[in-house]
Amino acid sequence: MSTLAKHTFIAALALLIAGPLLLFGETWIVGTAALQQALPISVLAAVFFATMLLEQYALRYLRRAKGGKGVTGFYLLSKMLRLLLAIAMLLAYAFAIRTNIVLFAVNLFVCYIITQKGKTTIQ
């Protein structure tokens, strides 16, 4: 199994485990009001997983097709765009829903960290 496939599988498994754990933990702490977070948790997981996959395949393409030129610039740009996407999603939720913003921020942070990696996985 390739390194990219292993990383993708581990991230998918972590998101599948984290979603119910987050929902259970928030329900235990806050009560039934946390059940409103079921859909946002799913959407966050899907968005961050998709951005992780796009980033990995783009980095892989740059590495193979372009001989590694532009990998560092793209890597830094993608990290900045992921952060801006997370901030935009938090602001959009805060302005649109206006309830349970802290719970949403916790879910956002967990999904962001799970799909964030310390090194590039381009082979």
Side-chain angles (χ1 to χ4, degrees):
M1 185 182 276
S2 73
T3 306
L4 179 60
K6 285 180 188 176
H7 177 71
T8 304
F9 177 75
I10 290 170
L13 189 62
L15 286 170
L16 285 173
I17 293 170
L21 285 177
L22 283 169
L23 192 60
F24 175 73
E26 291 167 358
T27 304
W28 183 62
I29 293 170
V30 178
T32 58
L35 293 176
Q36 295 175 352
Q37 296 298 311
L39 181 61
I41 289 172
S42 302
V43 170
L44 287 173
V47 167
F48 280 114
F49 189 75
T51 59
M52 180 194 69
L53 282 180
L54 288 172
E55 176 186 335
Q56 286 300 312
Y57 283 110
L59 285 169
R60 191 176 196 184
Y61 169 77
L62 287 173
R63 170 79 177 191
R64 290 187 174 171
K66 304 279 185 172
K69 292 183 180 179
V71 170
T72 304
F74 177 79
Y75 181 77
L76 293 172
L77 179 66
S78 68
K79 295 304 174 192
M80 183 189 67
L81 290 176
R82 279 174 54 89
L83 180 62
L84 291 175
L85 174 67
I87 291 169
M89 288 175 23
L90 182 61
L91 290 174
Y93 184 88
F95 287 124
I97 308 295
R98 297 182 184 192
T99 59
N100 298 325
I101 296 171
V102 173
L103 294 178
F104 182 79
V106 169
N107 296 332
L108 180 84
F109 179 72
V110 170
C111 290
Y112 185 85
I113 293 299
I114 287 174
T115 57
Q116 186 70 25
K117 61 208 156 307
K119 63 184 184 73
T120 57
T121 312
I122 46 176
Q123 289 185 355

